[in-house]
Amino acid sequence: MKKYILFDHDGVLVDTEFWYYRAGERALADIGLTLDKDRYLRDMNQGLGTWAQARAAGIDEQTISRQREVRNDYYQEYLRTEAIEIEGVVETLAELSKYVRMAIVTTAKRADFEIIHEKRHIREFMDFVLVREDYELSKPHPEPYLTGLKRLGAATEETLVVEDSSRGLNSAVAAGIDCAIVHNGFTKTQDFSRASHRIETLIELKDIILNSA
């Protein structure tokens, strides 16, 4: 039976990915560039993002560095002011906590993560949280999830990863862990052929856990 769940964070537990895109769009607009959303989504799948389009437009690295800080400020503004809850997440975590131990393995930076969870109840169900500063190599490298396994003291066959992106899926697969992909409109066109499960909402995880015995 699955005894542990390692959750990705953005797009899985909180609805933040649109606002990260929006912050980048706004930062580029400040210097007269339009961020193409379709290209952004393709670039994101390859580990690139907002700044690939800036470089392609001939923007110098000093300006990119400055606008990255601007983007980060815009993003944190959105995290504080926009509705980023995903309906049913807290209730689902409360139910899952009866059956499994859980943790978060995210590429979010610590500062952003702390803002998101100042007034939310998600963390109270987690054994621990690994943010971007807690490991060296980011997804799709297996290190983030291998680090999570070690912290839990868990075997790969006892663990399930929950992700919404192909980079996260590939990280889990490289670590030897089954992965459930939860639907997210921002990542729905990515390749999830290596996923063990596809789900629409997190409450479906309960059946996966109970049927894994």
Side-chain angles (χ1 to χ4, degrees), residues 70-200:
V70 171
R71 186 274 313 274
N72 293 345
D73 288 342
Y74 287 153
Y75 183 50
Q76 291 189 356
E77 173 191 327
Y78 291 138
L79 294 180
R80 290 187 174 98
T81 60
E82 299 295 339
I84 58 173
E85 288 81 9
I86 296 175
E87 185 178 358
V89 164
V90 171
E91 295 82 359
T92 296
L93 294 177
E95 181 66 17
L96 291 172
S97 69
K98 300 172 184 176
Y99 306 98
V100 293
R101 290 170 55 198
M102 298 178 286
I104 294 172
V105 179
T106 177
T107 55
K109 295 188 286 290
R110 190 180 309 280
D112 296 337
F113 189 91
E114 292 297 332
I115 290 169
I116 290 169
H117 294 283
E118 280 174 359
K119 299 177 182 178
R120 293 185 169 86
H121 300 285
I122 289 171
R123 276 194 291 195
E124 63 194 58
F125 298 103
M126 302 296 165
D127 278 29
F128 59 86
V129 173
L130 297 179
V131 295
R132 182 61 189 89
E133 291 88 342
D134 291 326
Y135 48 84
E136 183 177 350
L137 298 169
S138 190
K139 304 170 187 178
H141 194 277
E143 183 189 349
Y145 283 119
L146 291 173
T147 304
L149 281 180
K150 187 175 180 180
R151 281 282 297 272
L152 282 171
T156 54
E157 63 270 15
E158 298 175 315
T159 307
L160 182 68
V161 163
V162 183
E163 272 282 354
D164 72 321
S165 74
S166 61
R167 296 184 76 227
L169 167 63
N170 291 336
S171 175
V173 169
I177 311 171
D178 288 346
C179 183
I181 292 293
V182 64
H183 175 78
N184 182 333
F186 230 64
T187 60
K188 63 184 180 181
T189 61
Q190 296 181 14
D191 179 8
F192 297 127
S193 57
R194 303 172 83 189
S196 300
H197 309 276
R198 299 287 297 273
I199 59 177
E200 288 294 317

